[in-house]
Amino acid sequence: MASLQFGLSSSFASLPTASRFRRVSVRCSGDRQVLFNRIAPVYDNLNDLLSLGQHRVWKRMAISWTGAKEKDTVLDICCGSGDLTFLLSEKVGPTGKVIGVDFSKEQLNVASSRQNSRWRACYESIEFVEGDATDLPFSNCQFDAITMGYGLRNVVDKKKAMQEMFRVLKPGGKASILDFNKSTKPFVASFQEWMIDNVVVPVATGYGLAEEYEYLKNSIREFLTGKELEELAIQAGFSMASHYEFSGGLMGNLVVTR
């Protein structure tokens, strides 16, 4: 994917509401891309239902760890339907700039529709880009802060994704990476798998998405522990890395500083 400059422009503002995002070529795991395109229409409803609304609290926590402030230029990687993107825009205000990037065209369509159905001055500063977390189409040291919500676990090459975050983040900037926690405590890990088998998958089945959500268990098993995530970040070049567990150890947030 070639590096490119971006910015809000009159041509971007005039795009049709159904496709208000920039598209660039994406190289990624095709099966995961198809999966997220398929669950896009009900993704937000399922998040609310399965977490009892708690995901909104976790996302606000993730935003607070970035230190994003007014006038900043910030990036939301694996933005999905845009929850973190919209929260970031409220932090940086109408004089800031927010880019949401995702490899799922359908998720970006949902995010764009949400942007067009709401009105706040800060939401005008948002641009959505179809792109690859392991080959970000942005310049070096471009962003003051970065978020990544429930994305790193689904990236095939996690090392490359972390290196890309380091590359596009400004010196001194922070990235906040929210995801399921891979606990080292047997009870927590067993309870997490029980929840997926007995709550998540049955609920998803009601939406006709049982297979799509059965992947969760293996994706967490194959994920990195908090300590391993900290080590990965340091190897990528970050000067500081701290992983925080919450919600009984079911969730985790990695905070890194360039």
Side-chain angles (χ1 to χ4, degrees):
M1 184 190 307
S3 178
L4 57 90
Q5 298 293 326
F6 64 88
L8 293 174
S9 64
S10 58
S11 60
F12 168 69
S14 63
L15 285 173
T17 57
S19 59
R20 192 179 174 183
F21 59 85
R22 183 188 304 278
R23 182 174 297 145
V24 291
S25 60
V26 178
R27 295 196 303 270
C28 60
S29 174
D31 57 340
R32 299 188 190 199
Q33 189 174 25
V34 169
L35 184 153
F36 280 95
N37 280 332
R38 201 157 50 224
I39 67 176
V42 297
Y43 185 68
D44 290 325
N45 287 340
L46 276 173
N47 280 346
D48 277 328
L49 187 59
L50 293 171
S51 72
L52 301 178
Q54 287 299 298
H55 73 101
R56 301 183 184 279
V57 176
W58 304 331
K59 288 169 181 175
R60 288 189 179 278
M61 290 169 58
I63 294 291
S64 68
W65 270 312
T66 67
K69 59 188 184 302
E70 286 191 13
K71 300 182 180 181
D72 277 354
T73 298
V74 295
L75 176 66
D76 182 22
I77 303 173
C78 301
C79 67
S81 60
D83 275 1
L84 285 167
T85 315
F86 291 116
L87 290 173
L88 278 171
S89 74
E90 293 168 14
K91 280 288 187 181
V92 305
T95 57
K97 183 176 292 186
V98 186
I99 306 297
V101 62
D102 201 280
F103 69 175
S104 168
K105 180 177 68 175
E106 296 305 321
Q107 290 277 9
L108 291 172
N109 278 331
V110 172
S112 294
S113 295
R114 292 177 69 189
Q115 182 182 17
N116 291 317
S117 67
R118 307 174 175 190
W119 192 90
R120 289 187 67 169
C122 59
Y123 294 164
E124 293 299 312
S125 69
I126 296 173
E127 181 180 359
F128 291 107
V129 177
E130 185 179 356
D132 188 342
T134 64
D135 194 6
L136 294 170
F138 308 118
S139 302
N140 295 346
C141 305
Q142 188 162 341
F143 298 98
D144 297 289
I146 294 174
T147 55
M148 190 177 196
Y150 300 99
L152 187 60
R153 174 175 42 84
N154 296 305
V155 175
V156 176
D157 191 341
K158 295 171 180 57
K159 179 179 179 180
K160 187 68 170 73
M162 194 69 74
Q163 290 171 337
E164 280 292 272
M165 273 187 270
F166 178 83
R167 179 182 67 80
V168 302
L169 190 62
K170 293 180 181 179
K174 291 185 177 181
S176 180
I177 303 161
L178 170 67
D179 216 311
F180 286 94
N181 179 46
K182 181 179 179 179
S183 180
T184 56
K185 299 175 182 177
F187 173 77
V188 174
S190 295
F191 179 69
Q192 193 173 52
E193 293 196 354
W194 183 91
M195 286 288 292
I196 292 171
D197 288 337
N198 295 279
V199 179
V200 174
V201 173
V203 170
T205 300
Y207 288 81
L209 296 170
E211 288 186 23
E212 286 78 0
Y213 276 81
E214 284 172 353
Y215 90 98
L216 264 176
K217 192 188 323 187
N218 283 336
S219 74
I220 295 171
R221 282 179 178 173
E222 296 169 3
F223 197 34
L224 304 176
T225 65
K227 182 177 181 181
E228 290 169 338
L229 286 169
E230 290 174 347
E231 292 172 352
L232 182 67
I234 296 299
Q235 291 168 8
F238 289 99
S239 61
M240 294 179 61
S242 299
H243 185 267
Y244 303 96
E245 297 182 8
F246 47 92
S247 192
L250 299 176
M251 300 294 153
N253 202 106
L254 177 68
V255 183
V256 298
T257 305
R258 174 164 178 175

